[in-house]
Amino acid sequence: MPVRDAATVVLLRAAPAGTEVYLLRRLGSMAFAPGAFVFPGGKVDERDSEDGHGWAGPPPEQLAPALGASPATAAALVRAAVRETFEECGVLLASPAADPSGPAVSTGAGWADDREALAAGSVSLAELLVRRDLVLRGDLLRPWSRWITPEAEERRYDTRFFVAVMPAGQQAAGGTGESDRATWLRPAAAADAAAAGELTMLPPTRITLGELAALPGIPAVMAADRSTTPRRPAVILDGDRAWLSIPDEGSDDD
């Protein structure tokens, strides 16, 4: 099956008990990963190639090698990451053009129409940023990993995972028709719940949580030297059983 580019954002926040991550539970009726707890994200859309807006942070040409993509695809991946995060939880990684490296813009009830229009595809992220006089904050995203869906799956994605700190002054709120629950959890607690069968998760989500849990806090996460070598799980048939072989970090070998 064809492989589509996709982007996922792991939102982090500091809490009294330690670092927390934002997770959404996909609707049970969804064709891909129904009922699974996931990070905000989705496939790159055609309109994610549109530009003309301000851009803060490393240019696409600099990001391209880390993302294993052309500069144009790297730019589209970052736009998709920002767009999907806003669509799925109302968090917008953008700042006023007058202060492109300052605090992220405050979002609230007045942004509901823009969020719905973006989710419906009637407006592109570039158009929204230009109309709101905002710049995209690519510098708030850090590439974390890259996962490619096994060949046995009917829907296949080449997904770049990013990490980002929850902007001050914004509130995450799920609800775009693709999820029925949203929660903040400590990475270790979420991974343990998945291992115990209390939460349904795809392997990349569970493994990412374990990687985050191994680090002491948000500064360490954002400063981590990460490999984005593609990780390609494979389905191995053994008689009437099927196993999922998952490569180690930094290698696409088992």
Side-chain angles (χ1 to χ4, degrees), residues 53-213:
H53 57 81
W55 182 292
E61 293 78 9
Q62 185 175 332
L63 288 171
L67 296 177
S70 67
T73 299
L77 284 163
V78 172
R79 291 190 195 99
V82 173
R83 175 183 56 76
E84 288 282 350
T85 304
F86 184 51
E87 287 180 15
E88 296 194 359
C89 55
V91 174
L92 184 58
L93 302 177
S95 290
D99 189 12
S101 61
V105 65
S106 295
T107 57
W111 290 75
D113 289 344
D114 286 329
R115 186 179 171 191
E116 292 178 4
L118 201 60
S122 59
V123 64
S124 69
L125 178 67
E127 289 174 336
L128 173 61
L129 295 174
V130 170
R131 179 167 56 78
R132 289 276 190 172
D133 198 22
L134 301 173
V135 297
L136 181 149
R137 292 296 303 275
D139 56 329
L140 299 182
L141 292 164
R142 297 287 186 277
W144 185 262
S145 60
R146 180 181 178 186
W147 290 84
I148 299 178
T149 312
E151 293 181 2
E153 291 287 345
E154 293 184 1
R155 290 174 174 79
R156 300 191 64 212
Y157 300 99
D158 184 349
T159 306
R160 279 70 162 191
F161 281 61
F162 298 87
V163 292
V165 180
M166 180 69 185
Q170 294 195 33
Q171 297 292 325
T176 60
E178 294 187 359
S179 62
D180 60 6
R181 181 181 171 189
T183 184
W184 287 95
L185 291 172
R186 290 183 297 107
D192 289 345
E198 298 169 2
L199 301 179
T200 300
M201 289 183 189
L202 296 175
T205 306
R206 179 172 48 81
I207 291 172
T208 299
L209 290 168
E211 293 167 347
L212 296 171

